[in-house]
Amino acid sequence: MMLLKHNVTKTAHDDHRMRMAVDTHRIWYACCALAALCVIALTSCTSLQQDVVSAVEPAEQSEDIHFIESKLAVIDAEEFVSSADFSRTEALADVMADVEQAVAVPGNVQAVQARLYALKGRILLLDGKKSKARDCYDQSVAAFKGDAQGLVLGSRLGLEPDFSSVSNVSSEKAILTLEQALVHFTAGSYLESSAQFDTAFLSLPSYYRAAYGKVRDRAWELRNVKPGAKNGKHDNLLYLPQITVGQMMLITQNTSSVLFNYTAGKTLSETELFKKLAGAGLVTAASAPLSADGVVGREDIVSRIICARFLWNLYASRKGSAGAGVKRYSTVYRTAGEASPVPDIPLSSPDFDAVLGTVENELMSLPDGIHFEGDKTVSAAEFSTYLQKIE
């Protein structure tokens, strides 16, 4: 019995030692696994810091940065589509004060400082202080290389290569896409520009659309303008919200070949061009003689009626329908005894044929599907779009 008791006691003691050994190994393996996870986590965080700027921004700082960026976006957009009532100097001073205050906050993490230096540099560049903007770029890169606003600043300073293919430098790719939209806009690639604006707006805060929306809309209006070699004066014409008759003729000469039969391929001045085209009847009403008040001068602002008149005469001439052919719509309606299908353009209007001709041939359209709204002015972009349909 004593031997049995001794054996049982020994067996229990051995089991206890074995369990302790197993537990010790388990603890050792757990510690190793934890250490490995820590190494992986630290490595991932280091990699993530290179890719994600916004993730390390404290909430309060993020709000400050968004506030500054919303102001800067408005100023920057004005560089592409200017407004007469915009005070650029005052706006730059106001947003610079916000940046200086944010930079002075103690304890900013490096990613935040990088963003603030980049924004400060962009403000200085807009203010014409390129060397100081370069200093801010260097400070931004030193604090954190790869900030999206830093890349934009570097690109505008000519220090960064094309970043259209950047995939892992910054999580804020939408800011870079927006910058590409502006680059395409400046280059005259308006269709590409409008598409990139739309892509960027999907991911950017709403204040970017509010600021750059007018640039995007202008790009869409100009989407049918063919990019290519253009002189500076012509480039400026394309941005006009309204144009004179002389400017309408210059745009026609510079963007299409429809005037070849009138100019023999020569580039004429605005005065010479108006004299030539007015003399050929391109701004003369087709349906009925004009009163003295209806005669068009070179400096007159182009309305939808004048635009339709010019386009219809051009279109009819190219289609071999000059003479009686330009009056075919009024002839048909008078013969049938029917009223005008466009309520605000009566059959008695000198431009009845021009309106119906441009609408029927899809050169122009009825804005609300019913009325022509002939007194409204026409922008250079709108006219360019209409003109492209003749060729």
Side-chain angles (χ1 to χ4, degrees):
M1 292 294 293
M2 290 295 293
L3 181 59
L4 180 59
K5 183 177 180 181
H6 172 75
N7 289 338
V8 170
T9 302
K10 184 175 183 301
T11 300
H13 180 68
D14 290 342
D15 289 344
H16 177 68
R17 289 178 60 189
M18 184 176 293
R19 283 197 299 270
M20 287 188 67
V22 171
D23 290 343
T24 300
H25 279 82
R26 285 176 177 173
I27 292 171
W28 184 81
Y29 281 121
C31 289
C32 289
L34 180 60
L37 287 172
C38 288
V39 171
I40 293 171
L42 288 172
T43 304
S44 297
C45 287
T46 302
S47 175
L48 185 62
Q49 186 184 14
Q50 296 176 357
D51 293 338
V52 182
V53 176
S54 59
V56 297
E57 293 180 7
E60 183 178 350
Q61 287 290 351
S62 181
E63 290 179 6
D64 290 342
I65 287 174
H66 282 307
F67 182 64
I68 292 167
E69 289 183 341
S70 67
K71 289 185 174 182
L72 178 60
V74 173
I75 303 170
D76 190 54
E78 288 291 329
E79 295 295 301
F80 297 89
V81 182
S82 60
S83 302
D85 59 347
F86 181 74
S87 177
R88 185 171 178 271
T89 302
E90 182 180 340
L92 284 171
D94 178 52
V95 70
M96 179 60 83
D98 292 331
V99 172
E100 296 284 15
Q101 183 178 353
V103 168
V105 173
N108 283 337
V109 297
Q110 287 182 314
V112 171
Q113 284 295 91
R115 173 58 58 90
L116 291 172
Y117 283 133
L119 293 172
K120 182 177 179 179
R122 288 194 57 187
I123 296 166
L124 289 168
L125 189 59
L126 285 169
D127 202 23
K129 300 172 182 177
K130 188 173 182 179
S131 61
K132 291 184 178 180
R134 170 63 192 266
D135 292 339
C136 287
Y137 171 75
D138 292 337
Q139 289 175 301
S140 177
V141 171
F144 188 95
K145 187 175 183 180
D147 176 76
Q149 292 289 1
L151 288 171
V152 171
L153 174 60
S155 177
R156 295 195 182 189
L157 286 168
L159 304 173
E160 290 284 353
D162 176 30
F163 49 72
S164 60
S165 60
V166 169
S167 59
N168 62 351
V169 175
S170 170
S171 66
E172 296 172 280
K173 299 180 186 69
I175 290 178
L176 305 182
T177 302
L178 177 70
E179 185 66 11
Q180 286 296 305
L182 294 170
V183 169
H184 281 299
F185 183 87
T186 303
S189 300
Y190 299 112
L191 186 59
E192 292 86 348
S193 176
S194 60
Q196 288 189 313
F197 273 122
D198 290 340
T199 300
F201 290 157
L202 290 174
S203 303
L204 289 171
S206 59
Y207 56 77
Y208 276 98
R209 180 183 289 275
Y212 290 98
K214 55 188 175 182
V215 189
R216 184 268 174 201
D217 291 344
R218 182 60 58 83
W220 180 249
E221 289 177 351
L222 294 168
R223 66 191 182 281
N224 291 320
V225 175
K226 300 175 182 177
K230 303 169 187 167
N231 58 61
K233 290 182 180 180
H234 173 62
D235 286 338
N236 293 334
L237 284 178
L238 293 176
Y239 296 102
L240 294 176
Q242 61 182 26
I243 53 177
T244 64
V245 172
Q247 289 168 339
M248 174 180 69
M249 293 175 174
L250 281 176
I251 292 171
T252 305
Q253 175 179 250
N254 293 333
T255 62
S256 72
S257 59
V258 297
L259 297 182
F260 183 84
N261 290 339
Y262 302 94
T263 65
K266 296 180 181 178
T267 300
L268 305 180
S269 68
E270 182 179 334
T271 302
E272 293 172 329
L273 195 58
F274 176 78
K275 183 178 180 180
K276 178 77 70 174
L277 301 185
L282 293 187
V283 287
T284 300
S287 303
L290 290 166
S291 64
D293 294 335
V295 175
V296 172
R298 182 171 63 88
E299 297 295 332
D300 288 348
I301 298 299
V302 175
S303 64
R304 283 175 55 83
I305 279 287
I306 293 175
C307 180
R309 184 185 302 172
F310 182 72
L311 291 173
W312 178 237
N313 284 323
L314 264 179
Y315 181 84
S317 175
R318 287 176 64 82
K319 295 296 182 180
S321 302
V326 296
K327 298 183 179 181
R328 59 178 178 269
Y329 293 101
S330 57
T331 300
V332 169
Y333 276 86
R334 284 195 180 94
T335 301
E338 296 180 3
S340 170
V342 183
D344 58 340
I345 305 294
L347 185 56
S348 59
S349 168
D351 293 293
F352 178 84
D353 286 281
V355 170
L356 262 67
T358 53
V359 171
E360 285 287 329
N361 291 280
E362 299 182 345
L363 305 180
M364 299 179 71
S365 62
L366 303 175
D368 62 356
I370 301 173
H371 302 87
F372 187 71
E373 301 178 5
D375 292 333
K376 286 189 174 181
T377 58
V378 175
S379 71
E382 288 173 317
F383 175 71
S384 295
T385 300
Y386 302 148
L387 183 62
Q388 295 297 321
K389 298 176 182 180
I390 292 182
E391 289 192 293

